Amino acid sequence: MTGISGTGGTSGGGTSGEEEGLTRRVRVVLVDDHRMFRTGVQAEIGQTATTGVEVVGEAADVDQAVTVITATRPEVVLLDVHLPGGGGVEVLRRCAPLMAAAEDPVRFLALSVSDAAEDVIGVIRGGARGYVTKTITGTDLVDSVFRVQDGDAVFSPRLAGFVLDAFASTDAPPVDEDMDRLTQREREVLRLIARGYAYKEIAKQLFISVKTVESHVSAVLRKLQLSNRHELTRWATARRLV
């Protein structure tokens, strides 16, 4: 499993370690709650002699992430948005002093299966330097890591528009109390259900079991006081979540 195979890309230019003859190195921490995905990323980009990327730590939840990042002080953290313990935004909040350090700041690049505008905007407001989806190729991911190390902002092409639109607006986003009742993972499942995905397809995309998907759907229906997935789809469509 590579976990990040397929087509991808990032906006703008940049120079990877390979392009500079591997004279550069970047120390990276991987934060993702799926061990198999971390293993895939490690295999894809962590061959230091070839890519210049040295993976110095891994974490599967918020507490582990903060502990590992504080102990290793990497140049770049590859951060999943949806994590046990509060999500990627909570990691960013607790690591704010490391991001603000005058010397050798820790920089964050979100790497997530989600392409939802609220996820992108949430982590960028939290201090991440960029956001790429898990369809990105290994080569592009290495390039993105080096660019973030240099202080650049990096986004998968389609996601850049979300950020531009969000920060161009002077109006604060409206508070949706119903959405606030849902966890990040429940929102992700909700969005995929509304797009017509079957439970098996959702499980495959999110690297979780079908039973876990069913549990999330049941929780969403209960919290939103809806009866079935058709009502759920209408609810999500009305809020432009599809």
Side-chain angles (χ1 to χ4, degrees), residues 101-220:
E103 295 185 5
D104 302 321
V106 177
R107 295 189 168 101
F108 288 78
L109 173 61
L111 175 63
S112 177
V113 69
S114 172
D115 61 358
E118 63 265 30
D119 287 337
V120 179
I121 294 165
V123 294
I124 297 305
R125 284 180 171 158
R129 296 294 304 174
Y131 194 116
V132 295
T133 61
K134 290 179 178 179
T135 57
I136 192 171
T137 65
T139 299
D140 283 340
L141 183 56
V142 169
D143 184 69
S144 298
V145 167
F146 275 101
R147 288 169 55 198
V148 167
Q149 181 191 27
D150 289 337
D152 292 344
V154 180
F155 300 93
S156 294
R158 194 176 77 83
L159 306 185
F162 295 157
V163 179
L164 291 174
D165 291 345
F167 287 92
S169 174
T170 57
D171 298 327
V175 175
D176 189 326
E177 294 182 359
D178 289 331
M179 282 294 289
D180 286 346
R181 295 190 186 101
L182 305 182
T183 67
Q184 290 288 346
R185 180 64 86 190
E186 288 167 353
R187 294 181 191 186
E188 197 166 42
V189 171
L190 162 64
R191 190 173 295 106
L192 293 174
I193 284 287
R195 290 176 180 174
Y197 284 77
Y199 286 3
K200 287 184 179 179
E201 294 172 322
I202 296 172
K204 184 176 180 180
Q205 281 216 22
L206 302 183
F207 302 98
I208 58 180
S209 70
V210 173
K211 286 187 177 181
T212 301
V213 174
E214 292 173 349
S215 296
H216 285 313
V217 173
S218 296
V220 170

Side-chain angles (χ1 to χ4, degrees), residues 2 10 31 50 56-57 109 151 176 183 190 237 241:
T2 64
T10 51
V31 180
T50 303
V56 297
L109 173 61
D176 189 326
T183 67
L190 162 64
T237 301
L241 300 177

